[in-house]
Amino acid sequence: MTANLPKVECIARARIPTTQGPDIFLHLYTNDQDSKEHLAIVFGEDIRSRSLFRYRYPEETQQERMIRGAYVGKLYPGRVSADVDDRLGLKLEFDPKTGDMLFDKRCVWDEENKTLVRIHSECYTGENAWSARCDCGEQFDRAGKLISLDVEKETGIVGGNGHGVIVYLRQEGRGIGLGEKLKAYNLQDLGADTVQANLMLKHPADGRDFSIGKSILMDLGIKNVRLLTNNPDKISQIEYKPYLTCVERVPMVPIHWTNANEGIDSVEIEGYLRTKIERMGHLLQKPLTLHTHEEQTTTGQI
């Protein structure tokens, strides 16, 4: 890994069939910066982790490679080779000295491709507890949808056509953790906005670090990023030229703004989005006028 960035290693990869249609490949990463298990949700079998696929000479067997997910094509009962899928006619090649996987456009994603990417920070409340305080769960789902699509009919946004990555970083509550985040919610119910609540708890407004995310993208052979975000800070933080460049920002417009019958509609979400726009400079343009200023409370995680 490039100097000044965390060293990451993908230790396991598995195919996950989804309720939405396309299979994904879930990658589990360790790193030398923290003890958390960060993830990459990869759309496209040919987007391959360099650290996972690197050959562990001389002791590693083909069976061991398949078990940790370092295989090409599809697994099936009776398969004996990780590096060759006879049914699909795919074969991986490796440097005999280093064990590094060699590039072959027939079965390895080209790093020069413009790849749709979402850098997503864990949000238990928004993703698992149906919270209407933030739009994190909606953005997570929407990122997966856009990566799967060729073009989104409602907005005209060009999707990933089945190729892309959601980097899932375990930094709950903009880096303060779930316990402190719940305290921040109580402060918000008492009248603070999401930024003020973090500051009142002696935390930074946004304590997240995206350096592990950069290392993960580079390990996956991603160079040119189409970034799904409204956050200008993410645009600047994701770049690590010449190895990683944001070539396009793809907006994440709240669903309720384009379809009044769908998405999140609550006083809390409006206050949350207003704080993102007015205090954190997020690139959203639509004025929030559905509720009066006096009725608004703000909450959530960016």
PDB file of all heavy atoms in Angstrom, residues 240-268:
ATOM      1  N   TYR A 240      -6.399  10.715  -4.017  1.00  0.00           N
ATOM      2  CA  TYR A 240      -5.016  10.432  -3.643  1.00  0.00           C
ATOM      3  C   TYR A 240      -4.232  10.299  -4.952  1.00  0.00           C
ATOM      4  O   TYR A 240      -3.833   9.214  -5.366  1.00  0.00           O
ATOM      5  CB  TYR A 240      -4.932   9.158  -2.813  1.00  0.00           C
ATOM      6  CG  TYR A 240      -3.630   8.998  -2.060  1.00  0.00           C
ATOM      7  CD1 TYR A 240      -3.397   9.698  -0.880  1.00  0.00           C
ATOM      8  CD2 TYR A 240      -2.643   8.148  -2.529  1.00  0.00           C
ATOM      9  CE1 TYR A 240      -2.206   9.550  -0.187  1.00  0.00           C
ATOM     10  CE2 TYR A 240      -1.444   7.991  -1.833  1.00  0.00           C
ATOM     11  CZ  TYR A 240      -1.241   8.702  -0.676  1.00  0.00           C
ATOM     12  OH  TYR A 240      -0.045   8.553   0.015  1.00  0.00           O
ATOM     13  N   LYS A 241      -4.095  11.444  -5.616  1.00  0.00           N
ATOM     14  CA  LYS A 241      -3.487  11.443  -6.947  1.00  0.00           C
ATOM     15  C   LYS A 241      -2.017  11.048  -6.892  1.00  0.00           C
ATOM     16  O   LYS A 241      -1.325  11.367  -5.936  1.00  0.00           O
ATOM     17  CB  LYS A 241      -3.650  12.842  -7.566  1.00  0.00           C
ATOM     18  CG  LYS A 241      -5.119  13.203  -7.825  1.00  0.00           C
ATOM     19  CD  LYS A 241      -5.247  14.595  -8.438  1.00  0.00           C
ATOM     20  CE  LYS A 241      -6.719  14.915  -8.709  1.00  0.00           C
ATOM     21  NZ  LYS A 241      -6.907  16.261  -9.288  1.00  0.00           N
ATOM     22  N   PRO A 242      -1.553  10.319  -7.917  1.00  0.00           N
ATOM     23  CA  PRO A 242      -2.226   9.907  -9.152  1.00  0.00           C
ATOM     24  C   PRO A 242      -2.944   8.557  -9.039  1.00  0.00           C
ATOM     25  O   PRO A 242      -3.426   8.033 -10.035  1.00  0.00           O
ATOM     26  CB  PRO A 242      -1.071   9.795 -10.140  1.00  0.00           C
ATOM     27  CG  PRO A 242       0.058   9.288  -9.300  1.00  0.00           C
ATOM     28  CD  PRO A 242      -0.115   9.969  -7.950  1.00  0.00           C
ATOM     29  N   TYR A 243      -3.004   8.012  -7.822  1.00  0.00           N
ATOM     30  CA  TYR A 243      -3.542   6.663  -7.659  1.00  0.00           C
ATOM     31  C   TYR A 243      -5.070   6.622  -7.599  1.00  0.00           C
ATOM     32  O   TYR A 243      -5.680   5.616  -7.955  1.00  0.00           O
ATOM     33  CB  TYR A 243      -2.974   6.031  -6.379  1.00  0.00           C
ATOM     34  CG  TYR A 243      -1.483   6.078  -6.315  1.00  0.00           C
ATOM     35  CD1 TYR A 243      -0.819   7.012  -5.518  1.00  0.00           C
ATOM     36  CD2 TYR A 243      -0.710   5.191  -7.064  1.00  0.00           C
ATOM     37  CE1 TYR A 243       0.561   7.060  -5.455  1.00  0.00           C
ATOM     38  CE2 TYR A 243       0.680   5.225  -7.008  1.00  0.00           C
ATOM     39  CZ  TYR A 243       1.307   6.170  -6.204  1.00  0.00           C
ATOM     40  OH  TYR A 243       2.666   6.213  -6.144  1.00  0.00           O
ATOM     41  N   LEU A 244      -5.679   7.716  -7.132  1.00  0.00           N
ATOM     42  CA  LEU A 244      -7.123   7.733  -6.930  1.00  0.00           C
ATOM     43  C   LEU A 244      -7.631   9.139  -7.241  1.00  0.00           C
ATOM     44  O   LEU A 244      -7.179  10.113  -6.630  1.00  0.00           O
ATOM     45  CB  LEU A 244      -7.439   7.351  -5.484  1.00  0.00           C
ATOM     46  CG  LEU A 244      -8.848   6.868  -5.138  1.00  0.00           C
ATOM     47  CD1 LEU A 244      -9.215   5.627  -5.934  1.00  0.00           C
ATOM     48  CD2 LEU A 244      -8.938   6.583  -3.648  1.00  0.00           C
ATOM     49  N   THR A 245      -8.576   9.235  -8.185  1.00  0.00           N
ATOM     50  CA  THR A 245      -9.080  10.531  -8.619  1.00  0.00           C
ATOM     51  C   THR A 245     -10.601  10.501  -8.698  1.00  0.00           C
ATOM     52  O   THR A 245     -11.185   9.542  -9.214  1.00  0.00           O
ATOM     53  CB  THR A 245      -8.517  10.891 -10.010  1.00  0.00           C
ATOM     54  OG1 THR A 245      -7.088  10.911  -9.949  1.00  0.00           O
ATOM     55  CG2 THR A 245      -9.015  12.261 -10.448  1.00  0.00           C
ATOM     56  N   CYS A 246     -11.236  11.549  -8.184  1.00  0.00           N
ATOM     57  CA  CYS A 246     -12.684  11.703  -8.330  1.00  0.00           C
ATOM     58  C   CYS A 246     -12.939  12.401  -9.657  1.00  0.00           C
ATOM     59  O   CYS A 246     -12.650  13.586  -9.807  1.00  0.00           O
ATOM     60  CB  CYS A 246     -13.272  12.500  -7.168  1.00  0.00           C
ATOM     61  SG  CYS A 246     -15.070  12.716  -7.273  1.00  0.00           S
ATOM     62  N   VAL A 247     -13.473  11.670 -10.623  1.00  0.00           N
ATOM     63  CA  VAL A 247     -13.692  12.231 -11.952  1.00  0.00           C
ATOM     64  C   VAL A 247     -15.098  12.790 -12.117  1.00  0.00           C
ATOM     65  O   VAL A 247     -15.375  13.514 -13.082  1.00  0.00           O
ATOM     66  CB  VAL A 247     -13.430  11.164 -13.049  1.00  0.00           C
ATOM     67  CG1 VAL A 247     -11.975  10.741 -13.027  1.00  0.00           C
ATOM     68  CG2 VAL A 247     -14.350   9.963 -12.888  1.00  0.00           C
ATOM     69  N   GLU A 248     -15.996  12.459 -11.163  1.00  0.00           N
ATOM     70  CA  GLU A 248     -17.367  12.958 -11.255  1.00  0.00           C
ATOM     71  C   GLU A 248     -18.052  12.824  -9.900  1.00  0.00           C
ATOM     72  O   GLU A 248     -17.831  11.847  -9.180  1.00  0.00           O
ATOM     73  CB  GLU A 248     -18.163  12.156 -12.293  1.00  0.00           C
ATOM     74  CG  GLU A 248     -19.611  12.596 -12.461  1.00  0.00           C
ATOM     75  CD  GLU A 248     -20.399  11.685 -13.386  1.00  0.00           C
ATOM     76  OE1 GLU A 248     -19.794  10.787 -14.008  1.00  0.00           O
ATOM     77  OE2 GLU A 248     -21.627  11.876 -13.477  1.00  0.00           O
ATOM     78  N   ARG A 249     -18.854  13.832  -9.545  1.00  0.00           N
ATOM     79  CA  ARG A 249     -19.732  13.709  -8.384  1.00  0.00           C
ATOM     80  C   ARG A 249     -21.133  13.376  -8.866  1.00  0.00           C
ATOM     81  O   ARG A 249     -21.702  14.093  -9.691  1.00  0.00           O
ATOM     82  CB  ARG A 249     -19.775  15.004  -7.559  1.00  0.00           C
ATOM     83  CG  ARG A 249     -20.680  14.872  -6.322  1.00  0.00           C
ATOM     84  CD  ARG A 249     -20.848  16.180  -5.606  1.00  0.00           C
ATOM     85  NE  ARG A 249     -21.762  17.096  -6.275  1.00  0.00           N
ATOM     86  CZ  ARG A 249     -23.088  17.112  -6.087  1.00  0.00           C
ATOM     87  NH1 ARG A 249     -23.654  16.253  -5.262  1.00  0.00           N
ATOM     88  NH2 ARG A 249     -23.840  17.991  -6.716  1.00  0.00           N
ATOM     89  N   VAL A 250     -21.685  12.294  -8.353  1.00  0.00           N
ATOM     90  CA  VAL A 250     -23.047  11.897  -8.689  1.00  0.00           C
ATOM     91  C   VAL A 250     -23.930  12.258  -7.500  1.00  0.00           C
ATOM     92  O   VAL A 250     -23.726  11.748  -6.401  1.00  0.00           O
ATOM     93  CB  VAL A 250     -23.139  10.395  -9.001  1.00  0.00           C
ATOM     94  CG1 VAL A 250     -24.563  10.005  -9.368  1.00  0.00           C
ATOM     95  CG2 VAL A 250     -22.172  10.023 -10.120  1.00  0.00           C
ATOM     96  N   PRO A 251     -24.893  13.159  -7.666  1.00  0.00           N
ATOM     97  CA  PRO A 251     -25.681  13.649  -6.531  1.00  0.00           C
ATOM     98  C   PRO A 251     -26.588  12.573  -5.943  1.00  0.00           C
ATOM     99  O   PRO A 251     -27.069  11.683  -6.646  1.00  0.00           O
ATOM    100  CB  PRO A 251     -26.503  14.793  -7.129  1.00  0.00           C
ATOM    101  CG  PRO A 251     -26.590  14.475  -8.587  1.00  0.00           C
ATOM    102  CD  PRO A 251     -25.304  13.801  -8.938  1.00  0.00           C
ATOM    103  N   MET A 252     -26.818  12.688  -4.629  1.00  0.00           N
ATOM    104  CA  MET A 252     -27.730  11.805  -3.900  1.00  0.00           C
ATOM    105  C   MET A 252     -28.925  12.647  -3.450  1.00  0.00           C
ATOM    106  O   MET A 252     -29.006  13.069  -2.298  1.00  0.00           O
ATOM    107  CB  MET A 252     -27.006  11.179  -2.703  1.00  0.00           C
ATOM    108  CG  MET A 252     -25.801  10.327  -3.065  1.00  0.00           C
ATOM    109  SD  MET A 252     -26.272   8.745  -3.790  1.00  0.00           S
ATOM    110  CE  MET A 252     -26.771   7.841  -2.343  1.00  0.00           C
ATOM    111  N   VAL A 253     -29.833  12.921  -4.369  1.00  0.00           N
ATOM    112  CA  VAL A 253     -30.993  13.763  -4.068  1.00  0.00           C
ATOM    113  C   VAL A 253     -31.999  12.957  -3.253  1.00  0.00           C
ATOM    114  O   VAL A 253     -32.334  11.825  -3.623  1.00  0.00           O
ATOM    115  CB  VAL A 253     -31.646  14.273  -5.362  1.00  0.00           C
ATOM    116  CG1 VAL A 253     -32.860  15.135  -5.045  1.00  0.00           C
ATOM    117  CG2 VAL A 253     -30.636  15.044  -6.195  1.00  0.00           C
ATOM    118  N   PRO A 254     -32.486  13.502  -2.121  1.00  0.00           N
ATOM    119  CA  PRO A 254     -33.485  12.767  -1.332  1.00  0.00           C
ATOM    120  C   PRO A 254     -34.677  12.344  -2.180  1.00  0.00           C
ATOM    121  O   PRO A 254     -35.215  13.143  -2.965  1.00  0.00           O
ATOM    122  CB  PRO A 254     -33.889  13.786  -0.257  1.00  0.00           C
ATOM    123  CG  PRO A 254     -32.691  14.675  -0.113  1.00  0.00           C
ATOM    124  CD  PRO A 254     -32.112  14.782  -1.502  1.00  0.00           C
ATOM    125  N   ILE A 255     -35.112  11.098  -2.029  1.00  0.00           N
ATOM    126  CA  ILE A 255     -36.196  10.563  -2.854  1.00  0.00           C
ATOM    127  C   ILE A 255     -37.466  11.393  -2.714  1.00  0.00           C
ATOM    128  O   ILE A 255     -38.173  11.635  -3.686  1.00  0.00           O
ATOM    129  CB  ILE A 255     -36.450   9.087  -2.477  1.00  0.00           C
ATOM    130  CG1 ILE A 255     -35.237   8.226  -2.874  1.00  0.00           C
ATOM    131  CG2 ILE A 255     -37.713   8.565  -3.149  1.00  0.00           C
ATOM    132  CD1 ILE A 255     -35.324   6.793  -2.401  1.00  0.00           C
ATOM    133  N   HIS A 256     -37.747  11.862  -1.505  1.00  0.00           N
ATOM    134  CA  HIS A 256     -38.988  12.607  -1.266  1.00  0.00           C
ATOM    135  C   HIS A 256     -39.015  13.929  -2.020  1.00  0.00           C
ATOM    136  O   HIS A 256     -40.086  14.478  -2.278  1.00  0.00           O
ATOM    137  CB  HIS A 256     -39.167  12.849   0.234  1.00  0.00           C
ATOM    138  CG  HIS A 256     -40.511  13.408   0.603  1.00  0.00           C
ATOM    139  ND1 HIS A 256     -41.680  12.686   0.469  1.00  0.00           N
ATOM    140  CD2 HIS A 256     -40.880  14.627   1.086  1.00  0.00           C
ATOM    141  CE1 HIS A 256     -42.698  13.420   0.859  1.00  0.00           C
ATOM    142  NE2 HIS A 256     -42.244  14.608   1.231  1.00  0.00           N
ATOM    143  N   TRP A 257     -37.858  14.459  -2.371  1.00  0.00           N
ATOM    144  CA  TRP A 257     -37.807  15.714  -3.113  1.00  0.00           C
ATOM    145  C   TRP A 257     -38.264  15.536  -4.559  1.00  0.00           C
ATOM    146  O   TRP A 257     -38.702  16.483  -5.195  1.00  0.00           O
ATOM    147  CB  TRP A 257     -36.392  16.286  -3.095  1.00  0.00           C
ATOM    148  CG  TRP A 257     -35.992  16.826  -1.761  1.00  0.00           C
ATOM    149  CD1 TRP A 257     -36.654  16.679  -0.582  1.00  0.00           C
ATOM    150  CD2 TRP A 257     -34.832  17.600  -1.480  1.00  0.00           C
ATOM    151  NE1 TRP A 257     -35.962  17.317   0.431  1.00  0.00           N
ATOM    152  CE2 TRP A 257     -34.846  17.886  -0.094  1.00  0.00           C
ATOM    153  CE3 TRP A 257     -33.776  18.067  -2.249  1.00  0.00           C
ATOM    154  CZ2 TRP A 257     -33.838  18.625   0.528  1.00  0.00           C
ATOM    155  CZ3 TRP A 257     -32.770  18.804  -1.634  1.00  0.00           C
ATOM    156  CH2 TRP A 257     -32.817  19.081  -0.255  1.00  0.00           C
ATOM    157  N   THR A 258     -38.105  14.328  -5.103  1.00  0.00           N
ATOM    158  CA  THR A 258     -38.493  14.078  -6.491  1.00  0.00           C
ATOM    159  C   THR A 258     -39.800  13.311  -6.604  1.00  0.00           C
ATOM    160  O   THR A 258     -40.424  13.296  -7.663  1.00  0.00           O
ATOM    161  CB  THR A 258     -37.385  13.311  -7.226  1.00  0.00           C
ATOM    162  OG1 THR A 258     -37.133  12.075  -6.537  1.00  0.00           O
ATOM    163  CG2 THR A 258     -36.107  14.129  -7.278  1.00  0.00           C
ATOM    164  N   ASN A 259     -40.210  12.663  -5.504  1.00  0.00           N
ATOM    165  CA  ASN A 259     -41.473  11.935  -5.492  1.00  0.00           C
ATOM    166  C   ASN A 259     -42.094  12.088  -4.113  1.00  0.00           C
ATOM    167  O   ASN A 259     -41.647  11.475  -3.147  1.00  0.00           O
ATOM    168  CB  ASN A 259     -41.248  10.458  -5.811  1.00  0.00           C
ATOM    169  CG  ASN A 259     -42.559   9.700  -6.008  1.00  0.00           C
ATOM    170  OD1 ASN A 259     -43.603  10.061  -5.451  1.00  0.00           O
ATOM    171  ND2 ASN A 259     -42.514   8.637  -6.809  1.00  0.00           N
ATOM    172  N   ALA A 260     -43.131  12.904  -4.023  1.00  0.00           N
ATOM    173  CA  ALA A 260     -43.749  13.232  -2.740  1.00  0.00           C
ATOM    174  C   ALA A 260     -44.380  12.037  -2.056  1.00  0.00           C
ATOM    175  O   ALA A 260     -44.649  12.079  -0.848  1.00  0.00           O
ATOM    176  CB  ALA A 260     -44.794  14.336  -2.923  1.00  0.00           C
ATOM    177  N   ASN A 261     -44.599  10.962  -2.798  1.00  0.00           N
ATOM    178  CA  ASN A 261     -45.238   9.778  -2.234  1.00  0.00           C
ATOM    179  C   ASN A 261     -44.238   8.729  -1.757  1.00  0.00           C
ATOM    180  O   ASN A 261     -44.632   7.676  -1.267  1.00  0.00           O
ATOM    181  CB  ASN A 261     -46.178   9.146  -3.273  1.00  0.00           C
ATOM    182  CG  ASN A 261     -47.313  10.068  -3.655  1.00  0.00           C
ATOM    183  OD1 ASN A 261     -47.909  10.718  -2.789  1.00  0.00           O
ATOM    184  ND2 ASN A 261     -47.607  10.154  -4.950  1.00  0.00           N
ATOM    185  N   GLU A 262     -42.946   8.995  -1.909  1.00  0.00           N
ATOM    186  CA  GLU A 262     -41.915   8.041  -1.513  1.00  0.00           C
ATOM    187  C   GLU A 262     -40.838   8.743  -0.699  1.00  0.00           C
ATOM    188  O   GLU A 262     -40.819   9.963  -0.570  1.00  0.00           O
ATOM    189  CB  GLU A 262     -41.292   7.379  -2.748  1.00  0.00           C
ATOM    190  CG  GLU A 262     -42.267   6.552  -3.567  1.00  0.00           C
ATOM    191  CD  GLU A 262     -41.611   5.869  -4.746  1.00  0.00           C
ATOM    192  OE1 GLU A 262     -40.366   5.955  -4.861  1.00  0.00           O
ATOM    193  OE2 GLU A 262     -42.323   5.252  -5.554  1.00  0.00           O
ATOM    194  N   GLY A 263     -39.944   7.962  -0.126  1.00  0.00           N
ATOM    195  CA  GLY A 263     -38.853   8.522   0.643  1.00  0.00           C
ATOM    196  C   GLY A 263     -39.265   8.910   2.057  1.00  0.00           C
ATOM    197  O   GLY A 263     -40.367   8.612   2.510  1.00  0.00           O
ATOM    198  N   ILE A 264     -38.386   9.596   2.745  1.00  0.00           N
ATOM    199  CA  ILE A 264     -38.583   9.955   4.148  1.00  0.00           C
ATOM    200  C   ILE A 264     -39.232  11.337   4.234  1.00  0.00           C
ATOM    201  O   ILE A 264     -38.722  12.308   3.681  1.00  0.00           O
ATOM    202  CB  ILE A 264     -37.242   9.972   4.908  1.00  0.00           C
ATOM    203  CG1 ILE A 264     -36.537   8.615   4.769  1.00  0.00           C
ATOM    204  CG2 ILE A 264     -37.454  10.301   6.379  1.00  0.00           C
ATOM    205  CD1 ILE A 264     -35.107   8.625   5.283  1.00  0.00           C
ATOM    206  N   ASP A 265     -40.355  11.420   4.945  1.00  0.00           N
ATOM    207  CA  ASP A 265     -41.061  12.689   5.137  1.00  0.00           C
ATOM    208  C   ASP A 265     -41.278  12.893   6.632  1.00  0.00           C
ATOM    209  O   ASP A 265     -42.142  12.279   7.235  1.00  0.00           O
ATOM    210  CB  ASP A 265     -42.397  12.661   4.397  1.00  0.00           C
ATOM    211  CG  ASP A 265     -43.174  13.969   4.566  1.00  0.00           C
ATOM    212  OD1 ASP A 265     -42.541  14.983   4.918  1.00  0.00           O
ATOM    213  OD2 ASP A 265     -44.398  13.959   4.354  1.00  0.00           O
ATOM    214  N   SER A 266     -40.437  13.723   7.246  1.00  0.00           N
ATOM    215  CA  SER A 266     -40.566  13.991   8.676  1.00  0.00           C
ATOM    216  C   SER A 266     -39.966  15.357   8.990  1.00  0.00           C
ATOM    217  O   SER A 266     -39.135  15.873   8.242  1.00  0.00           O
ATOM    218  CB  SER A 266     -39.845  12.924   9.505  1.00  0.00           C
ATOM    219  OG  SER A 266     -38.437  13.043   9.375  1.00  0.00           O
ATOM    220  N   VAL A 267     -40.411  15.938  10.096  1.00  0.00           N
ATOM    221  CA  VAL A 267     -39.831  17.199  10.555  1.00  0.00           C
ATOM    222  C   VAL A 267     -38.342  17.010  10.820  1.00  0.00           C
ATOM    223  O   VAL A 267     -37.510  17.867  10.495  1.00  0.00           O
ATOM    224  CB  VAL A 267     -40.557  17.680  11.830  1.00  0.00           C
ATOM    225  CG1 VAL A 267     -39.875  18.923  12.385  1.00  0.00           C
ATOM    226  CG2 VAL A 267     -42.017  17.975  11.526  1.00  0.00           C
ATOM    227  N   GLU A 268     -37.978  15.863  11.415  1.00  0.00           N
ATOM    228  CA  GLU A 268     -36.574  15.621  11.772  1.00  0.00           C
ATOM    229  C   GLU A 268     -35.665  15.580  10.551  1.00  0.00           C
ATOM    230  O   GLU A 268     -34.570  16.158  10.560  1.00  0.00           O
ATOM    231  CB  GLU A 268     -36.448  14.301  12.549  1.00  0.00           C
ATOM    232  CG  GLU A 268     -36.966  14.366  13.968  1.00  0.00           C
ATOM    233  CD  GLU A 268     -38.447  14.076  14.069  1.00  0.00           C
ATOM    234  OE1 GLU A 268     -39.100  13.900  13.011  1.00  0.00           O
ATOM    235  OE2 GLU A 268     -38.966  14.049  15.198  1.00  0.00           O
TER     236      GLU A 268
END
